[in-house]
Amino acid sequence: MRGSMRWRTISGKRYLIRVSPRGGETSLGPEDSDKKLVYERFHERKQQATQRLATLKQSLQEHQRINRALRLGRTPAIVVRCLGALDAHGLSRDFLVVGTHALYAYELAAGVRVESGATATLDLDLLFDVNRMRAYSAVLAKEGAKSLIQVIKKADPTFRVKRDQLHTAVNDGGFEVDIVRRYQTPNDPHPLRMSQDEDDFWAVQVSQGQAMASARRFEHLVIAASGQMALMRTLHPLDFIRLKKQLAELPGRDPLKAPKDKLQAQVVEHLWEEYLRHAEPV
């Protein structure tokens, strides 16, 4: 029901015109009984969809107020806005949240709160699914987005890609978004810029990229203090535990990060044992 339909008279004949959301026009042919029915059904369904959208928006606002009143939100607002921007552009299934912020999905699913020592971070790690490169590019073009950084700027217009670290964008508050990927396979594009825009991200290869890409998935809503919500797609808790333990023991791992890796693995292991076993895939 996106876009619109209208009639246009050309050389004395009326034609049914389909107008895309971006203003492109396509003729569906000259007026006849079938075209009239198409026109009428489109506008009838368009009106129904518009009314339903208005109802859903009102319901969403009510839930956000409830979230604020009950103080359910703990996920950083910038994270929720970034996930929302990806979803609004149809790109959410191309990325997986990996790293510290996954704990916000686990804790909300468990109905508990994790101490801030395990969740403290100023960067959001997004694993790009290289297998979806073609579909990702098609959706990016369809949605009229010039680049991935343009999408991320919907969350905060001050984001900019760092010139000395092209897989990272940073905003004026110092919060960073990192785009990571698996190590190159024979069929993978490499190096990988996320669009043709010269100012866009370049995805960086990480040692656990393939293991994370092939891991099981876990999805849950996350909530900001404002009440705003987004769906987070991340690693299954058991895979998060396994990979964090491996990362902590990895030769050359930053000695300042290894203890946090171990702590996060222990925290999620406790959440799994006590609260999240129902999420185990069949």
Side-chain angles (χ1 to χ4, degrees):
M1 295 298 101
R2 302 177 69 188
S4 63
M5 282 189 184
R6 61 187 177 86
W7 296 104
R8 174 184 289 176
T9 300
I10 303 174
S11 301
K13 282 189 175 183
R14 287 219 308 172
Y15 291 82
L16 181 58
I17 305 297
R18 178 66 187 262
V19 184
S20 75
R22 299 173 65 185
E25 297 185 353
T26 303
S27 174
L28 300 182
E31 180 180 12
D32 57 26
S33 58
D34 289 339
K35 299 299 187 303
K36 288 180 180 179
L37 181 60
V38 169
Y39 177 84
E40 291 170 1
R41 291 185 63 184
F42 174 85
H43 283 281
E44 179 182 351
R45 294 175 63 193
K46 178 85 171 183
Q47 183 179 14
Q48 293 172 351
T50 301
Q51 291 174 346
R52 176 165 172 74
L53 179 60
T55 302
L56 289 173
K57 285 183 176 180
Q58 182 179 357
S59 177
L60 178 61
Q61 291 171 355
E62 291 173 357
H63 280 84
Q64 289 175 345
R65 287 194 291 269
I66 292 172
N67 290 339
R68 288 197 300 272
L70 298 178
R71 298 182 179 180
L72 297 179
R74 284 236 308 164
T75 309
I78 187 62
V79 173
V80 175
R81 292 201 302 270
C82 284
L83 296 179
L86 290 172
D87 191 51
H89 285 80
L91 301 174
S92 58
R93 293 197 174 275
D94 301 319
F95 295 91
L96 198 67
V97 175
V98 295
T100 299
H101 285 102
L103 271 68
Y104 290 107
Y106 304 148
E107 71 167 15
L108 197 56
V112 300
R113 293 197 172 191
V114 174
E115 291 186 2
S116 58
T119 59
T121 184
L122 283 175
D123 66 293
L124 172 64
D125 295 325
L126 296 173
L127 177 76
F128 177 62
D129 185 351
V130 183
N131 290 329
R132 291 184 55 82
M133 186 65 197
R134 184 174 297 178
Y136 158 83
S137 299
V139 171
L140 196 68
K142 180 181 178 182
E143 293 296 323
K146 182 181 178 183
S147 61
L148 180 58
I149 185 60
Q150 186 182 66
V151 173
I152 296 299
K153 280 177 175 286
K154 298 292 184 180
D156 183 337
T158 68
F159 271 116
R160 62 195 182 280
V161 176
K162 299 172 73 171
R163 293 300 92 196
D164 60 342
Q165 197 170 306
L166 296 175
H167 67 281
T168 301
V170 60
N171 69 2
D172 284 355
F175 188 85
E176 296 182 346
V177 175
D178 296 326
I179 306 299
V180 302
R181 56 166 292 187
R182 69 187 183 194
Y183 277 130
Q184 179 190 15
T185 66
N187 295 323
D188 285 352
H190 184 74
L192 177 58
R193 186 168 63 192
M194 299 306 297
S195 72
Q196 296 301 312
D197 185 353
E198 294 182 356
D199 295 323
D200 207 0
F201 292 94
W202 291 76
V204 66
Q205 299 178 114
V206 292
S207 60
Q208 289 191 319
Q210 181 56 50
M212 291 188 293
S214 58
R216 292 163 291 181
R217 301 294 187 254
F218 182 86
E219 298 182 354
H220 202 278
L221 283 175
V222 290
I223 307 173
S226 64
Q228 186 179 3
M229 297 169 284
L231 182 65
M232 181 181 288
R233 294 178 171 88
T234 185
L235 304 174
H236 187 279
L238 290 179
D239 292 316
F240 180 94
I241 295 165
R242 173 174 55 83
L243 292 172
K244 276 292 182 178
K245 287 180 177 180
Q246 292 175 0
L247 190 60
E249 301 299 329
L250 197 66
R253 180 63 170 165
D254 187 333
L256 297 178
K257 295 182 178 180
K260 189 172 183 180
D261 294 330
K262 292 179 181 179
L263 173 62
Q264 290 178 344
Q266 293 169 355
V267 168
V268 178
E269 193 166 27
H270 179 73
L271 292 180
W272 175 259
E273 293 295 335
E274 296 295 327
Y275 307 102
L276 295 176
R277 282 187 173 275
H278 66 277
E280 186 172 12
V282 177

